């Protein structure tokens, strides 16, 4: 599995002036660090750029398949808003991946996240899609060139049947949201990224002794290396309540900690540390052709540096047990529909840490159309007007400290 979320910056209570000055200074220093990395390496800046760009594999097959079905894909509604599908592959092929199990010749999406970047780049919302979610799979092109028949099955089978193109078409059919870009990363790439930032700190409420995940850790604040981090985010039955819900929430908290670590000055401002981070971030990476270069990735993430940490949000799509199999999931309506509509129209999404997915804010009344709001008299008209604050969804932000 693997994940990528753009860097973000915090807000200050000292007023907008100091915040803007600090941000401009941070941008200048970061730009200097990247330039120094490329220029001071004995004049081999182009070679470094070419190597990092060469690490990325362009997903030409997916691009061709998506072009084939372009007329049936959703239309993007908001200019400059972007939706990126992040796919963590459980493939055992490639460097170091064989140790995680037998290669059966197929692969499934171990984790899939729909990342929405607002048009103004003032928020980033990452929505986890459960692998056990029951969905309609379209007919997809298999690796051998044959085509599968449309069927109703678990979501992660889309990647197994038809790779990233099939997964993208499934997500678009499910959400009616146009996927602009996609990124696929395997176990090895995820581990390398964590090791490149010298580990990521998490907070463990209880000690962990899990032989299957190869984890033995004390309670409290612990810095995980790449191997430990992979076990931590993938473990399911032995940590927490053993549910996939708890596993996804753990992944989301880890992503928030990773965002904090990557954004920290000792990484971004140190050319010696920055190069291995860039090398790890691009290795074991497969993307759509538009992203398959440093320039493409830079164009995508350059506007993310000013996003406040509290606006980098993580949540799981509202869902419930599938009616015919308690071990599978189905979308919870109308909460899921409301979430997809807000992402599709680039409307802010509000998350909070407690309560079931899609629940109403405290004290809110449930209006006839299923939204939440409070009624009050309109002094200019003889009727009552209902103001509907946005629905809230269970989740967390990158600003949260999991030890508090």
């Amino acid at each position: 599995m693997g994940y990528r979320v753009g860097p973000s910056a915090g807000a200050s209570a000292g007023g907008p002036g100091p915040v803007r000055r600090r941000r401009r200074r941070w941008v200048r220093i970061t730009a200097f660090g990247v330039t120094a990395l490329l220029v001071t390496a004995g004049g081999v800046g182009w070679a470094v750029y070419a190597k990092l760009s060469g690490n990325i594999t362009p997903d030409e097959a997916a691009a061709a398949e998506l072009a084939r079905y372009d007329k049936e894909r959703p239309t993007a509604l908001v200019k400059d808003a972007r939706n990126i599908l992040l796919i963590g592959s459980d493939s055992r092929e490639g460097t170091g991946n064989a140790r995680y199990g037998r290669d059966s010749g197929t692969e499934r999406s171990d984790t899939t996240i729909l990342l929405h970047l607002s048009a103004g780049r003032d928020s980033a919302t990452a929505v986890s899609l459960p692998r056990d979610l029951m969905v309609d799979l379209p007919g997809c092109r298999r690796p051998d060139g044959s085509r599968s028949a449309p069927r109703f099955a678990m979501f992660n089978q889309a990647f197994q049947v038809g790779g990233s193109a099939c997964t993208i078409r499934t997500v678009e059919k499910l959400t009616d949201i146009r996927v602009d870009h996609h990124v696929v990363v395997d176990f090895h790439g995820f581990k390398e990224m964590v090791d490149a930032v010298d580990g990521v700190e998490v907070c463990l409420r209880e000690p962990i002794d899990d032989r299957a995940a190869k984890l033995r850790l004390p309670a409290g604040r612990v810095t995980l290396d790449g191997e430990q981090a992979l076990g931590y985010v993938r473990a399911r039955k032995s940590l927490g309540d053993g549910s996939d819900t708890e596993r996804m929430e753990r992944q989301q908290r880890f992503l928030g900690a990773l965002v904090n670590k990557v954004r920290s000055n000792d990484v971004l401002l140190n050319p010696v540390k920055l190069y291995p981070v860039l090398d790890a971030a691009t290795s074991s990476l497969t993307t759509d052709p538009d992203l398959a270069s440093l320039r493409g990735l830079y164009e995508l993430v350059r506007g993310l540096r000013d996003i406040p940490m509290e606006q980098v949000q993580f949540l799981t799509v509202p869902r419930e047990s599938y009616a015919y199999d308690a071990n599978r999931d189905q979308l919870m309506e109308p909460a899921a529909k409301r979430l997809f509509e807000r992402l599709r129209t680039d409307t802010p999404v509000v998350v909070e840490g407690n309560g079931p997915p899609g629940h109403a804010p405290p004290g809110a009344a449930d209006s006839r159309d299923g939204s939440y709001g409070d009624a009050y008299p309109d002094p200019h008209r003889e009727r009552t007007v209902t103001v509907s604050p946005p629905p809230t969804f269970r989740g967390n932000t990158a600003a949260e400290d999991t030890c508090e």
Side-chain angles (χ1 to χ4, degrees):
M1 66 162 283
Y3 320 88
R4 298 291 183 273
V5 179
S8 55
S12 169
V19 173
R20 284 196 295 268
R21 287 194 294 273
R22 284 196 294 273
R23 286 175 177 168
R24 287 196 296 267
R25 184 165 59 251
W26 182 84
V27 171
R28 287 196 299 270
I29 295 173
T30 301
F32 172 78
V34 174
T35 303
L37 171 66
L38 297 177
V39 175
T40 62
V44 294
W46 174 251
V48 172
Y49 177 89
K51 179 188 183 302
L52 294 175
S53 288
N55 285 346
I56 308 171
T57 302
D59 198 347
E60 302 286 358
E65 180 73 355
L66 292 174
R68 176 187 177 100
Y69 292 95
D70 189 64
K71 290 184 178 180
E72 71 178 37
R73 299 181 65 195
T75 300
L77 299 182
V78 181
K79 182 181 178 182
D80 295 330
R82 292 292 180 268
N83 297 295
I84 303 97
L85 196 64
L86 311 176
I87 304 171
S89 167
D90 71 355
S91 172
R92 269 60 173 178
E93 296 181 350
T95 305
N97 290 331
R99 74 181 65 180
Y100 302 109
R102 180 177 58 86
D103 183 5
S104 62
T106 62
E107 56 181 330
R108 297 188 184 184
S109 51
D110 191 66
T111 294
T112 304
I113 294 175
L114 180 62
L115 173 63
H116 175 79
L117 307 179
S118 65
R121 298 300 187 267
D122 52 8
S123 69
T125 303
V127 181
S128 296
L129 300 173
R131 58 188 182 183
D132 294 341
L133 191 67
M134 299 301 294
V135 298
D136 288 311
L137 302 183
C140 296
R141 184 181 185 276
R142 297 190 181 98
D144 64 4
S146 64
R147 291 196 169 271
S148 65
R151 56 176 168 153
F152 187 66
M154 290 195 304
F155 172 68
N156 70 342
Q157 290 187 20
F159 196 70
Q160 178 188 13
V161 171
S164 52
C166 190
T167 302
I168 291 168
R169 292 178 59 214
T170 300
V171 170
E172 290 183 340
K173 184 178 180 65
L174 182 72
T175 66
D176 199 28
I177 295 171
R178 175 85 175 204
V179 173
D180 302 293
H181 301 289
H182 69 276
V183 177
V184 183
V185 66
D186 64 18
F187 294 157
H188 182 71
F190 173 76
K191 291 194 309 174
E192 290 294 305
M193 182 64 185
V194 174
D195 285 335
V197 297
D198 294 329
V200 174
E201 184 183 80
V202 298
C203 184
L204 305 179
R205 299 189 182 280
E206 298 178 353
I208 296 176
D209 189 358
D210 186 331
R211 293 183 180 180
K214 299 179 181 179
L215 284 178
R216 189 170 185 176
L217 302 167
R221 295 185 185 274
V222 180
T223 298
L224 305 181
D225 62 23
E227 190 73 35
Q228 293 169 327
L230 182 60
Y232 177 72
V233 298
R234 294 194 70 238
R236 180 173 179 175
K237 296 182 179 179
S238 58
L239 297 183
D241 60 10
S243 67
D244 203 36
T245 298
E246 201 281 338
R247 186 181 75 105
M248 286 185 291
E249 291 176 352
R250 193 182 332 121
Q251 291 172 353
Q252 292 161 6
R253 291 191 296 270
F254 183 87
L255 284 175
L258 179 59
V259 168
N260 275 298
K261 187 61 180 286
V262 171
R263 184 182 170 272
S264 65
N265 289 349
D266 63 336
V267 173
L268 293 178
L269 303 184
N270 187 336
V272 176
K273 290 186 177 182
L274 185 57
Y275 175 78
V277 171
L278 292 175
D279 192 29
T282 53
S283 295
S284 304
L285 206 64
T286 299
T287 76
D288 58 279
D290 288 342
L291 286 187
S293 69
L294 284 184
R295 180 182 297 275
L297 289 173
Y298 172 73
E299 290 297 323
L300 177 67
V301 304
R302 66 177 177 174
L304 305 182
R305 53 194 169 224
D306 290 337
I307 297 180
M309 297 297 283
E310 60 271 16
Q311 291 302 318
V312 179
Q313 304 177 127
F314 305 92
L315 67 150
T316 300
V317 64
R319 87 271 190 237
E320 59 193 358
S321 294
Y322 178 49
Y324 302 102
D325 186 344
N327 294 318
R328 301 290 181 262
D329 291 326
Q330 64 185 25
L331 292 180
M332 178 188 291
E333 300 296 3
K337 183 178 180 180
R338 284 197 294 265
L339 173 62
F340 296 150
E341 178 67 18
R342 301 188 79 81
L343 296 177
R344 183 166 51 249
T345 58
D346 197 33
T347 306
V349 172
V350 179
V351 303
E352 60 182 40
N354 298 312
H359 73 288
D366 187 4
S367 64
R368 180 175 296 180
D369 65 358
S371 60
Y372 305 113
D374 296 304
Y376 69 95
D378 183 343
H380 303 291
R381 300 179 183 178
E382 295 182 357
R383 67 185 183 90
T384 297
V385 176
T386 299
V387 175
S388 298
T392 60
F393 301 89
R394 181 177 179 180
N396 63 282
T397 74
E400 296 178 19
D401 186 338
T402 56
C403 275
E404 295 181 354

